[in-house]
């Protein structure tokens, strides 16, 4: 089999890239390790920036997102039981949208099925060959047979644990990492959200987040230790941990119910540089991870895909490699700013240690954030997404 761009991974980055390339007549094949059902069962991002919305529109699959997505003009931060609102709209003129990653993935999968572009699910033992040569190819096993896919380029969109980044010689890549000593325990439930806007909670017991997927579906998170086992968290225990962290109004409005998903995500900051190795280009979580506090992971995957799809289009349509040559530098410039914001929000809102000096620093910074228009504006600019 031969294609122009072999895409590894059918997460949002791979599916979005495939759709955009196809729109411009560029052939691509996606190889995904899991089944489609499994990919759709992973509950992850909820908040998307304008960049992501625009790209989903450009890919031609935005109809359901515009119908069901919730526009949020601001966010709330609760400290010591008192809520403070930061208005994105007033401070930046922009908003974000709440529309689940699962729904985006479904829209992209349906879009791909409608155009008949090939995706191989349950593709095992994917291996990348000759990435620094003229004729790269990918081998894999599917339906009990061995396959070889020849291509011009490989797009590594296979997430943090994927094979693409690991296929690069160690001396060609530099990793920068910070692992936080905590995770997020998340619950999805078919209960109405406590508030119309997201509430990020700073509390002596630890961080909490009240988010949502729709007016009838809530998503809550609480900070937990990395040693926690999700099995040790029956629903009742989760709600009892969440309640004392909320302000009075949110606690009164909280409707508890059975969870329809419950999982623990470790918090990590990670960037691998560069993002291009010969004919292999990394995009999304394959190249970088942010802790979820700033809601930036999926949005960064989308901005990588924007740069990369334009670069491939330039290569095939205008016979120019300028975009491909600049891809890594341009993508990383945006990645590092989102890394900074996600790290800063994580350090500001979580109970990282019992050190009272650090806790006082957090409270002083939060007070400054609420009182200073300059500080609130900086927060809002980063949350809605920095320009290209
Ligand atoms: P992935 O979604 O990880 O997709 C990679 C795909 O590659 C997977 O389908 C995987 O099965 C496949 N794969 C892996 N290895 C191989 C292999 N060897 N061969 C073939 N296929 C392979 N981001 C936001 O922007 N906003 C938010 O509000 C937000 N909230 C989050 C909340 C939580 C709890 C978590 C965990 C994450 C959150 N994120 C958020 C981050 C976001 O979910 C990720 O950044 C996003 O999924 C990255 O997309 P991706 O396509 O790069 O990688
Ligand atoms: C979510 O709704 O899953 C969500 C929202 C905001 C975040 C992280 C996750 O910062």
């Amino acid at each position: 089999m031969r294609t122009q761009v072999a895409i590894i991974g059918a997460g949002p980055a791979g599916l979005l890239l495939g759709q955009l390339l196809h729109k411009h007549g560029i052939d691509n094949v996606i190889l995904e390790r899991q089944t489609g059902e499994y990919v759709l069962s992973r509950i992850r991002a909820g908040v998307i920036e304008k960049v992501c919305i625009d790209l989903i529109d450009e890919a031609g699959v935005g109809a359901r997102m515009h119908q069901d997505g919730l526009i949020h003009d601001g966010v709330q931060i609760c400290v010591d039981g008192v809520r403070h609102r930061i208005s994105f709209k007033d401070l930046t003129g922009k908003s974000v949208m709440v529309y689940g990653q699962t729904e985006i993935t479904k829209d992209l999968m349906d879009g791909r099925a409608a155009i008949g572009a090939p995706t191989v699910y349950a593709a095992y033992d994917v291996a990348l060959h000759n990435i620094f040569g003229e004729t790269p190819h990918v081998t894999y096993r599917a339906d009990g047979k061995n396959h070889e896919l020849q291509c011009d380029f490989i797009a590594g969109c296979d997430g943090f644990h994927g094979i693409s980044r690991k296929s690069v010689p160690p001396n060609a890549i530099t990793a920068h990492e910070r692992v936080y000593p905590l995770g997020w325990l998340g619950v999805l439930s078919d209960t109405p959200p406590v508030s119309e806007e997201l509430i990020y909670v700073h509390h002596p017991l630890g961080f909490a987040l009240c988010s949502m997927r729709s007016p009838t579906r809530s998503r809550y998170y609480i900070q937990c230790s990395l040693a926690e086992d999700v099995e040790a968290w029956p629903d009742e225990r989760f709600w009892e941990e969440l309640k004392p962290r909320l302000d009075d109004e949110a606690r009164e409005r909280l409707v508890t119910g059975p969870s329809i998903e419950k999982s623990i995500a470790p918090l990590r900051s990670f960037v691998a540089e560069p993002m291009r190795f010969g004919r292999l280009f990394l995009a999304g979580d394959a190249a970088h991870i942010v802790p979820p506090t700033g809601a930036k992971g999926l949005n960064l995957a989308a901005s990588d895909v924007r740069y990369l799809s334009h670069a491939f289009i330039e290569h095939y349509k205008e016979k120019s490699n300028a975009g491909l040559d600049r891809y890594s530098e341009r993508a990383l410039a945006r990645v590092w700013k989102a890394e900074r914001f996600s790290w800063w929000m994580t350090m500001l809102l979580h109970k990282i240690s019992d050190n009272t000096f650090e806790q006082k620093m957090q409270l002083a910074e939060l007070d400054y954030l609420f009182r200073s228009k300059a500080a609130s504006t900086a927060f809002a600019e980063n949350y809605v997404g920095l320009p290209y």
Side-chain angles (χ1 to χ4, degrees):
M1 207 174 13
R2 193 185 151 76
T3 190
Q4 289 175 303
V5 181
I7 301 175
I8 318 297
L15 287 166
L16 203 46
L17 180 65
Q19 201 71 7
L20 291 166
L21 294 183
H22 187 274
K23 284 250 144 192
H24 289 85
I26 302 169
D27 238 29
N28 61 87
V29 173
I30 299 184
L31 303 177
E32 164 61 51
R33 180 169 60 182
Q34 306 288 353
T35 62
E37 296 77 62
Y38 182 89
V39 171
L40 278 178
S41 73
R42 291 187 301 224
I43 307 295
R44 292 160 110 192
V47 177
I48 54 175
E49 298 170 0
K50 183 88 171 49
V51 40
C52 200
I53 298 171
D54 289 349
L55 219 54
I56 291 167
D57 279 334
E58 199 180 321
V61 297
R64 214 164 61 94
M65 169 183 75
H66 287 292
Q67 190 186 301
D68 296 347
L70 308 170
I71 299 291
H72 282 212
D73 291 337
V75 77
Q76 313 207 356
I77 301 180
C78 181
V79 181
D80 284 338
V82 180
R83 261 194 256 171
H84 304 260
R85 178 169 193 265
I86 297 185
S87 167
F88 311 139
K89 196 81 186 161
D90 292 348
L91 295 165
T92 69
K94 296 183 185 154
S95 311
V96 293
M97 185 187 270
V98 169
Y99 188 61
Q101 178 167 334
T102 317
E103 306 308 321
I104 296 174
T105 308
K106 183 172 185 315
D107 295 343
L108 285 163
M109 280 180 173
D110 290 349
R112 194 161 174 89
I115 56 176
T119 309
V120 182
Y121 285 101
Y124 302 113
D125 299 336
V126 168
L128 281 51
H129 306 272
N130 201 21
I131 56 175
F132 288 102
E134 291 297 308
T135 53
H137 62 280
V138 183
T139 53
Y140 61 98
R141 209 160 45 74
D143 301 324
K145 295 191 205 102
N146 293 325
H147 301 263
E148 181 174 319
L149 175 64
Q150 292 169 2
C151 54
D152 300 334
F153 298 104
I154 302 171
C157 302
D158 47 353
F160 183 66
H161 299 287
I163 191 67
S164 299
R165 192 182 67 251
K166 292 178 194 142
S167 307
V168 172
N171 60 0
I173 191 164
T174 308
H176 308 273
E177 186 169 39
R178 163 144 202 173
V179 179
Y180 304 85
L182 37 102
W184 279 17
L185 172 62
V187 156
L188 188 69
S189 70
D190 275 329
T191 53
V194 287
S195 151
E196 288 192 348
E197 292 183 333
L198 267 64
I199 311 175
Y200 287 88
V201 184
H202 179 281
H203 195 278
L205 290 171
F207 170 82
L209 170 60
C210 308
S211 183
M212 67 196 75
R213 290 293 177 272
S214 75
T216 56
R217 182 169 284 188
S218 300
R219 179 72 163 158
Y220 296 102
Y221 297 96
I222 53 172
Q223 166 182 348
C224 67
S225 107
L226 279 179
E228 285 300 342
D229 175 2
V230 74
E231 296 301 322
W233 284 87
D235 294 348
E236 269 317 302
R237 183 172 174 211
F238 179 86
W239 298 121
E240 288 315 310
E241 271 297 325
L242 174 68
K243 272 183 208 160
R245 303 182 193 200
L246 305 182
D247 58 280
D248 291 344
E249 189 191 337
R251 197 176 310 109
E252 271 159 36
R253 287 188 62 175
L254 179 70
V255 182
T256 61
S259 63
I260 48 178
E261 194 266 359
K262 198 186 290 150
S263 53
I264 294 180
L267 266 55
R268 181 194 299 272
S269 297
F270 174 89
V271 181
E273 293 183 306
M275 288 169 64
R276 179 207 182 153
F277 308 89
R279 289 178 173 259
L280 166 66
F281 294 81
L282 301 180
D285 279 15
H288 41 73
I289 293 286
V290 285
T293 329
K296 288 285 166 252
L298 172 59
N299 293 301
L300 275 185
S303 67
D304 289 352
V305 164
R306 183 178 181 275
Y307 292 126
L308 189 55
S309 59
H310 289 185
F312 281 138
I313 293 161
E314 224 174 273
H315 171 84
Y316 285 108
K317 304 293 159 196
E318 296 164 27
K319 309 268 176 272
S320 161
N321 284 334
L324 291 176
D325 291 341
R326 283 200 60 209
Y327 168 68
S328 180
E329 181 199 334
R330 292 173 76 189
L332 282 165
R334 198 163 191 276
V335 164
W336 277 115
K337 289 185 211 91
E339 288 284 345
R340 187 210 65 82
F341 179 65
S342 305
W343 160 82
W344 173 79
M345 251 187 106
T346 302
M347 299 304 284
L348 180 68
L349 293 172
H350 290 79
K351 186 175 181 189
I352 308 270
S353 74
D354 290 324
N355 184 312
T356 55
F357 183 82
E358 279 173 18
Q359 290 159 13
K360 291 285 184 190
M361 288 299 98
Q362 290 180 328
L363 294 173
E365 183 148 16
L366 284 161
D367 193 41
Y368 174 62
L369 174 65
F370 303 140
R371 286 171 192 271
S372 157
K373 190 170 177 192
S376 312
T377 307
F379 173 89
E381 274 178 0
N382 279 277
Y383 199 93
V384 300
L386 294 175
Y388 289 94

